[in-house]
Each structure stands twice: as structure tokens, then as C-alpha cells.
Amino acid sequence: MKTKVLFVCLGNICRSPLAEGIFRKKVHDRGLNNQFHIDSCGTAAYHIGDHPDRRSVSNARENGIDYDHLGRQLRVEDFEDFDYILPMDDSNMSDVLYRKPVDATAQVVKMRDFDPLGKGEDVPDPYYGGPQGFQNVFEILDRTTDELLDFLMEEK
Ligand code: 4NP
């Protein structure tokens, strides 16, 4: 059975589509495409239908990842359609938990609970910062998605 994973941030143009893109590549590189359904969304509606932020895309390309996504907002069906919902920071976490139905089947886990070098911390929002912020987010998500994939494969 496929494990269904949903990455969540605020706008769905910086952090969560990048997490989706990096995770997708790791899944592909390990030959596990048929084992996972992967998506991302935002808690806010500002960027519905938008491609990822160009700064994120060009930074990811420098790091060997090509990805695309169209922004969408979190919906109530996600809580039964996905096995794992992974918010990027505490603010995203409280927004997700606020919308979580009582009978939700999805497990909501903060993304950096899987980070060996900063367990439980926020994935910082790079939107208002400079290029270093995008590289920092890339490195956090790169190592965290590795651990996440190991964890999910052990769960199977
Ligand atoms: P993200 O970053 O949550 O990582 O996609 C943001 C993108 C857009 C905005 C805020 C954060 N915004 O305010 O439009």
C-alpha cells in the first residue's frame, strides 16, 4: 500500500513544495515511486494556483533538484486522504490542528521532528529574507527528508 505524505507550510510556494520536490527525488532515487503518494499545500489561500517561488526553484536547481507544483490550500479531505501531514513550523502546526476533524485518520507530525540536527525546531520561513535563507531551508529539508524516508520505510 502507498504511504501518503502531505507537506504543509503557509503559502505553499517556498518550504512545502521544496520539501515535496526533495522527498520525491529521494523516493525516485531509491526506486520507491510505487510506494508513495506525495503532495504539498498551504494553510493560507494567497498563492492558490501559483508555481513555487523562483528563488526556491533556482536554489534547488543549484543543489541538483528540479521540481514544480501548483499552490493549493489545505482542505478537510486531506485529513483522511493522507497518512502523514507534516507542518513546517509551530504556526502551521496550530493552523493544521485547528482544522483537524475529530475523526481524522492522518497523523500530524512537525517536519523537524525528523531532523537529526534540530529536532522539533521550525523550518524557518525564507520568504522575506535573502539567498542564504533559501540555502539554509534546502539543507534542513534535505537531511530531514532522508530521515523521514527511512522512518516511513521502517513503518511499512
Ligand atoms: P512558505 O513561504 O509558507 O514557505 O510558502 C511564504 C510564502 C508566501 C507568504 C508567506 C510565506 N506570503 O505572505 O505571501
Side-chain angles (χ1 to χ4, degrees), residues 9-17 46-47 92 124-128:
C9 63
L10 175 64
N12 194 212
I13 54 167
C14 294
R15 293 164 293 173
S16 64
Y46 321 130
H47 294 287
N92 307 150
D125 187 347
Y127 189 68
Y128 294 106

Side-chain angles (χ1 to χ4, degrees), residues 53-66:
D53 188 292
R54 283 158 208 266
R55 296 166 296 172
S56 278
V57 172
S58 73
N59 178 266
R61 198 166 286 145
E62 284 164 20
N63 287 282
I65 304 273
D66 264 306

Side-chain angles (χ1 to χ4, degrees), residues 5-52:
V5 182
L6 181 65
F7 299 98
V8 184
C9 63
L10 175 64
N12 194 212
I13 54 167
C14 294
R15 293 164 293 173
S16 64
L18 179 62
E20 178 192 344
I22 298 174
F23 187 69
R24 208 179 271 291
K25 178 157 192 307
K26 290 186 195 289
V27 164
H28 177 265
D29 289 352
R30 292 202 209 174
L32 299 170
N33 279 351
N34 59 352
Q35 300 278 329
F36 289 94
H37 174 71
I38 308 161
D39 197 7
S40 67
C41 69
T43 56
Y46 321 130
H47 294 287
I48 292 173
D50 289 358
H51 290 278

Side-chain angles (χ1 to χ4, degrees), residues 15-144:
R15 293 164 293 173
S16 64
L18 179 62
E20 178 192 344
I22 298 174
F23 187 69
R24 208 179 271 291
K25 178 157 192 307
K26 290 186 195 289
V27 164
H28 177 265
D29 289 352
R30 292 202 209 174
L32 299 170
N33 279 351
N34 59 352
Q35 300 278 329
F36 289 94
H37 174 71
I38 308 161
D39 197 7
S40 67
C41 69
T43 56
Y46 321 130
H47 294 287
I48 292 173
D50 289 358
H51 290 278
D53 188 292
R54 283 158 208 266
R55 296 166 296 172
S56 278
V57 172
S58 73
N59 178 266
R61 198 166 286 145
E62 284 164 20
N63 287 282
I65 304 273
D66 264 306
Y67 72 106
D68 197 9
H69 176 77
L70 292 179
R72 74 162 178 94
Q73 192 173 18
L74 179 70
R75 44 186 178 240
V76 74
E77 295 86 342
D78 291 326
F79 290 95
E80 61 179 81
D81 291 346
F82 288 87
D83 301 305
Y84 285 92
I85 296 182
L86 300 156
M88 296 293 135
D89 65 24
D90 283 337
S91 167
N92 307 150
M93 184 73 167
S94 26
D95 288 341
V96 168
L97 293 179
Y98 182 74
R99 291 178 212 185
K100 184 181 174 202
V102 282
D103 58 349
T105 48
Q107 295 196 55
V108 181
V109 185
K110 195 175 177 187
M111 184 67 186
R112 287 186 76 183
D113 283 0
F114 296 100
D115 183 357
L117 300 183
K119 222 176 194 32
E121 289 179 22
D122 286 350
V123 179
D125 187 347
Y127 189 68
Y128 294 106
Q132 188 52 42
F134 287 87
Q135 181 60 25
N136 183 39
V137 166
F138 185 93
E139 288 170 16
I140 291 169
L141 292 176
D142 191 32
R143 62 177 186 256
T144 302

